Amino acid sequence: MKVLEFPLAKITLGFLLGILISFYIHPNPILVFGLLSVSLALLTVLFFWPKTNQHTKFYFSTLTYFISFLIGMSSLIIQTDSFQKSNYSNNKAVFEKEHRITLILREKLKNSIYNQRYIALIQTIDDKNYNGRILLNIPKKIRATPFEIGTMVSIKGNLQKNKKPDNPNQFDYSNYLNSKQIYAQLYANSANIKISPEPQKDIWFYIAKITTRITTNLEKSHFNNTALAVATALILGQRQDISPEIIQDYQYAGAVHILSVSGLHVGFIFLFLNFILKPIPNTRKGSFIKLTILLTSLFFFALLAGLSPSIVRSVVMFSFVAIGLHLRRSVNIYHTLLVSILLILLFQAYFLFDVGFQLSYLAVFFIVWFQPILASYWKPKNKILKYCRDILTVSFAAQIGTLPLSLYYFHQFPGLFFITNLAVIPLLSIIMFLGVVVMSLAAMGFTPFWLTKPLEWSILLLNKIINTIASFEQFIIKDISFNFIMLSCSYVLIIATIIWLKKPHFNKLLFVLLSVIILQSALLFSQWQIQNQEEWIVFNSKRKTLIVQRNGNEVCLYSNDSIAAKNKMLNSYLVGNFSHIQKQESLSHTAYFKGNKILILDSIGIFPKNANPDIVLLTQTPKINLERMLVSLKPKLVIADGSNYKYILKQWKASCEKQKIPFHATAEKGFYKLN
């Protein structure tokens, strides 16, 4: 790969590796900054060292790559809020009792069933200055309409640390929030919330005002609500109001990326702006005016879209393209990608752990690298066929480049993605051009019928096409087991194959075949690992008891619920462990696993006095005197699953502590596993 021969590529790889090492290993900041200072001093000495020594260049380049690695580590450390003494996460007391917390609402999130949700910035805790981001939950019964962004609220409550997943192989929302540097949540109620009459009027306040003004004016023009939700997602990056059914249709059709503002959308806007600015002459002054308008418009669009990782990446990349056009120089797309990665991650290192950011860059890289190879196999002369060829080859290149990562995160593959792109992209270009014009006018309070209605009809047509394609569920491959080893080996195979296709050679073909063997070995190793595992798990399921015993890839499900096998959290466990349900049995009062005798007590609470269990599992809130039972049975461990009433868990915990017997409540600690 010639791209790896660029010094900038090696510097970027070192920088990325530094961020990853810093994120997962948590090095001592003093050590990192010390090494960086020493390395910079050595680099300065080498820079002025006489160049007659043949080894000087080698030492200089090696030290440069090492410094890029250290800068990557330093960037993440500097941008990690928890390293700041004033961050609330460093004060353990804020998690132990109620405090008066003052905060500013920064971003509106999608509502849950019962709560409005916001990202909020902490200002003070008990009148002492603190900082940090939290997830704020405000019940809908307190206020039906959303708060303004910038509103300052004072809430009395206790911060709750992000909770680990309740069940195995479940989406780790705690880890997701931590990667956003949100370390806690706060639940408000009407009795303890005070609202400041004056909001904080910063740039986010005014951007939210513009967004609200646009949507309000379009609603007043009787714009279809479903179409408006999709329009605001496509143009403004606001997905809060889209129904789960529509999102599912886009996922099944392989078009969910359309709902996240990214390079495709910015590309349309870039072309549209270039078209609008075409009358400006290409003189030195005219070119500078064009560049200024383009960069300002792209930056403003990024702000409107919420500065998500994918939109920042796209805007930065197209800004470099615009600068290249202004300077009348050909833009090396690989250099553009590398510089944009460096610039973005230098200021927002945590973007690297955003799934959208990863998929976005991979898609662009493989389009640039692999699409020309695919296009070379078919060169139609007809313009329409050429246009269809370009859409198909771009779609296949992006899909192949992102496929392993998509399987790793989402475990499904939309088989009709190429039909979706053929049908949708021409229509999407019309929607984007119309949408930009309509929303610009709506921001000024002008919503002409002859523009809003074509946009509304176009979006409804788009939804209809997506719904039709998504209805062919037989082409949607779901529940694909895929782990990190297979992810890595898949990319080795894809890269090896593209290198061979680019310039076929026998040695490169051998590398492809070796990659196939490596991928097969990874799959066999994963299967071997699974086959040698045994575990017994009590899931945390509300109002139900769900127990799994897995031997290899065969799962025995114990539950009195006839539809327990269709439970989503159980499905995540099966996919994550390459397993399937072999049988389902009703719960009995006794279970055995690896020499452990397990007594299962239900609501009746009857147990034999000579049971002598190692573990007692409490389900359905059994009517027993737990302390008397503990004295009688003397178990080594007591487990209470999610089917028990929460009010009694504290009593049971106190009884177990009194008898010095470990107590595990799945509602508090999540699932329990024996292996």
Side-chain angles (χ1 to χ4, degrees):
M1 292 175 67
K2 288 185 179 180
V3 67
L4 293 178
E5 296 174 8
F6 300 151
L8 185 59
K10 296 173 183 176
I11 289 171
T12 305
L13 286 174
F15 181 75
L16 295 177
L17 186 61
I19 293 175
L20 290 169
I21 294 293
S22 184
F23 183 79
Y24 290 108
I25 296 182
H26 308 293
N28 188 320
I30 296 174
L31 176 63
V32 173
F33 293 132
L35 281 172
L36 181 59
S37 301
V38 171
S39 300
L40 287 171
L42 286 174
L43 189 71
T44 305
V45 172
L46 285 174
F47 181 78
F48 293 104
W49 197 265
K51 304 298 187 291
T52 52
N53 190 331
Q54 295 180 353
H55 299 294
T56 302
K57 186 177 179 181
F58 171 77
Y59 294 144
F60 186 85
S61 58
T62 303
L63 191 57
T64 301
Y65 302 143
F66 181 63
I67 288 173
S68 69
F69 170 78
L70 292 174
I71 290 174
M73 297 182 77
S74 303
S75 296
L76 191 87
I77 290 170
I78 291 169
Q79 295 169 39
T80 301
D81 292 346
S82 59
F83 281 118
Q84 300 176 20
K85 290 183 179 179
S86 58
N87 188 265
Y88 68 87
S89 62
N90 296 315
N91 183 356
K92 293 182 180 179
V94 301
F95 300 102
E96 294 171 356
K97 61 179 182 179
E98 283 193 345
H99 299 269
R100 175 60 65 176
I101 303 170
T102 305
L103 36 82
I104 295 171
L105 305 186
R106 170 48 52 84
E107 183 182 344
K108 178 77 176 71
L109 302 178
K110 192 177 182 69
N111 292 340
S112 64
I113 298 174
Y114 303 109
N115 297 308
Q116 292 182 32
R117 298 163 69 242
Y118 300 86
I119 291 176
L121 305 181
I122 286 182
Q123 302 297 298
T124 64
I125 299 177
D126 292 335
D127 298 323
K128 294 180 181 178
N129 291 331
Y130 283 91
N131 61 38
R133 295 152 59 90
I134 66 164
L135 187 62
L136 176 63
N137 298 271
I138 299 177
K140 293 177 182 177
K141 62 183 180 181
I142 293 178
R143 186 184 177 102
T145 57
F147 285 101
E148 272 189 322
I149 297 303
T151 300
M152 185 175 288
V153 295
S154 177
I155 298 173
K156 190 173 183 181
N158 62 309
L159 295 175
Q160 299 180 17
K161 288 185 178 180
N162 299 328
K163 192 179 177 183
K164 287 292 180 183
D166 286 333
N167 292 296
N169 302 101
Q170 197 174 27
F171 173 66
D172 194 340
Y173 192 56
S174 168
N175 189 49
Y176 170 79
L177 289 177
N178 288 338
S179 71
K180 302 286 185 184
Q181 302 198 71
I182 299 171
Y183 306 117
Q185 298 192 45
L186 178 62
Y187 291 85
N189 60 59
S190 56
N192 62 22
I193 183 169
K194 296 178 182 178
I195 303 166
S196 174
E198 281 296 320
Q200 185 187 59
K201 295 183 178 180
D202 55 12
I203 189 169
W204 302 106
F205 170 81
Y206 291 108
I207 289 295
K209 276 281 188 186
I210 294 170
T211 304
T212 304
R213 181 178 172 82
I214 290 170
T215 53
T216 302
N217 287 334
L218 287 174
E219 284 172 354
K220 288 179 181 177
S221 69
H222 305 292
F223 203 94
N224 180 275
N225 288 335
T226 302
L228 181 58
V230 175
T232 52
L234 291 172
I235 313 297
L236 304 177
Q238 307 291 323
R239 293 178 56 175
Q240 296 96 324
D241 298 322
I242 301 181
S243 68
E245 293 77 19
I246 289 179
I247 291 177
Q248 181 175 284
D249 282 346
Y250 276 78
Q251 288 174 338
Y252 286 178
V256 72
H257 60 282
I258 290 173
L259 296 177
S260 300
V261 178
S262 61
L264 181 65
H265 307 73
V266 178
F268 282 134
I269 291 171
F270 182 79
L271 292 172
F272 180 69
L273 289 171
N274 268 319
F275 175 76
I276 295 294
L277 299 172
K278 209 168 186 180
I280 299 175
N282 281 325
T283 60
R284 192 170 185 177
K285 187 177 180 181
S287 179
F288 180 75
I289 292 171
K290 279 185 181 180
L291 177 65
T292 304
I293 294 172
L294 270 170
L295 294 181
T296 305
S297 301
L298 289 175
F299 177 72
F300 184 70
F301 177 72
L303 283 173
L304 276 178
L307 289 179
S308 66
S310 57
I311 190 68
V312 170
R313 188 271 307 165
S314 306
V315 166
V316 170
M317 192 171 68
F318 277 101
S319 296
F320 279 112
V321 172
I323 293 168
L325 291 172
H326 168 68
L327 297 174
R328 292 178 172 82
R329 294 180 181 177
S330 59
V331 179
N332 185 313
I333 190 63
Y334 293 115
H335 281 159
T336 303
L337 282 171
L338 292 170
V339 171
S340 66
I341 289 175
L342 276 173
L343 279 177
I344 292 169
L345 296 181
L346 192 61
F347 296 100
Q348 289 290 342
Y350 277 91
F351 275 8
L352 182 60
F353 307 99
D354 183 89
V355 178
F357 185 85
Q358 296 167 14
L359 290 171
S360 184
Y361 264 104
L362 278 172
V364 173
F365 175 76
F366 277 92
I367 288 170
V368 172
W369 187 38
F370 189 36
Q371 190 270 342
I373 300 173
L374 293 174
S376 67
Y377 291 110
W378 182 31
K379 298 179 180 178
K381 295 181 180 179
N382 184 285
K383 287 186 177 181
I384 296 175
L385 288 177
K386 188 175 181 296
Y387 179 73
C388 293
R389 187 278 312 264
D390 289 342
I391 291 176
L392 283 172
T393 52
V394 166
S395 300
F396 271 101
Q399 196 70 49
I400 289 169
T402 57
L403 178 61
L405 203 63
S406 298
L407 294 178
Y408 178 71
Y409 284 122
F410 309 117
H411 304 286
Q412 67 179 26
F413 175 69
L416 297 178
F417 71 90
F418 58 95
I419 293 177
T420 301
N421 288 329
L422 270 176
V424 161
I425 288 179
L427 181 59
L428 185 62
S429 60
I430 297 170
I431 291 171
M432 289 300 298
F433 296 145
L434 272 175
V436 170
V437 174
V438 167
M439 294 202 175
S440 299
L441 294 173
M444 295 181 285
F446 183 50
T447 53
F449 179 85
W450 55 275
L451 278 176
T452 56
K453 280 303 170 186
L455 176 61
E456 179 186 319
W457 296 332
S458 299
I459 293 174
L460 291 175
L461 177 59
L462 174 68
N463 288 346
K464 182 64 177 176
I465 292 170
I466 294 293
N467 178 260
T468 303
I469 295 171
S471 65
F472 294 96
E473 293 194 23
Q474 62 269 32
F475 292 98
I476 304 162
I477 307 170
K478 302 177 185 177
D479 303 333
I480 303 170
S481 297
F482 208 77
N483 57 23
F484 184 77
I485 298 174
M486 294 171 66
L487 168 71
S488 306
C489 294
S490 295
Y491 274 116
V492 171
L493 175 59
I494 290 171
I495 291 168
T497 304
I498 295 173
I499 291 173
W500 174 67
L501 289 172
K502 204 171 183 73
K503 197 173 181 180
H505 189 275
F506 180 72
N507 289 339
K508 294 178 181 177
L509 180 60
L510 285 178
F511 184 40
V512 173
L513 296 175
L514 179 62
S515 302
V516 173
I517 294 171
I518 291 172
L519 180 59
Q520 289 175 328
S521 301
L523 180 59
L524 291 172
F525 176 73
S526 299
Q527 293 286 358
W528 176 81
Q529 270 191 322
I530 293 295
Q531 290 299 333
N532 286 278
Q533 291 176 355
E534 290 182 67
E535 55 189 20
W536 186 87
I537 300 175
V538 179
F539 280 71
N540 181 45
S541 180
K542 290 183 180 179
R543 296 184 293 276
K544 295 175 184 176
T545 298
L546 193 64
I547 300 171
V548 156
Q549 183 170 332
R550 180 169 67 84
N551 295 311
N553 64 349
E554 294 181 346
V555 169
C556 181
L557 173 63
Y558 295 96
S559 177
N560 291 330
D561 183 5
S562 59
I563 59 170
K566 297 180 181 179
N567 194 303
K568 284 186 178 180
M569 60 187 176
L570 179 60
N571 187 62
S572 298
Y573 172 76
L574 296 173
V575 172
N577 290 280
F578 297 78
S579 306
H580 63 274
I581 296 177
Q582 186 187 33
K583 59 181 178 178
Q584 179 176 344
E585 296 183 2
S586 299
L587 286 167
S588 59
H589 291 291
T590 308
Y592 296 89
F593 183 78
K594 287 190 174 181
N596 291 295
K597 184 179 180 181
I598 304 158
L599 178 65
I600 302 173
L601 297 181
D602 56 19
S603 57
I604 300 172
I606 298 175
F607 61 92
K609 292 183 180 180
N610 58 350
N612 298 322
D614 298 289
I615 298 171
V616 172
L617 172 60
L618 305 172
T619 69
Q620 306 298 326
T621 316
K623 297 177 178 63
I624 56 169
N625 185 315
L626 185 64
E627 197 166 328
R628 191 181 302 162
M629 185 206 73
L630 295 177
V631 172
S632 174
L633 299 181
K634 297 179 181 178
K636 298 175 183 175
L637 171 70
V638 175
I639 305 169
D641 72 2
S643 66
N644 298 287
Y645 292 128
K646 286 188 177 181
Y647 76 88
I648 204 168
L649 295 179
K650 288 184 179 180
Q651 299 176 25
W652 287 348
K653 185 177 181 180
S655 297
C656 288
E657 286 176 350
K658 188 176 180 180
Q659 298 298 323
K660 296 181 180 180
I661 295 173
F663 178 73
H664 184 104
T666 62
E668 178 185 346
K669 299 179 180 179
F671 68 95
Y672 182 82
K673 178 166 70 173
L674 278 174
N675 52 19

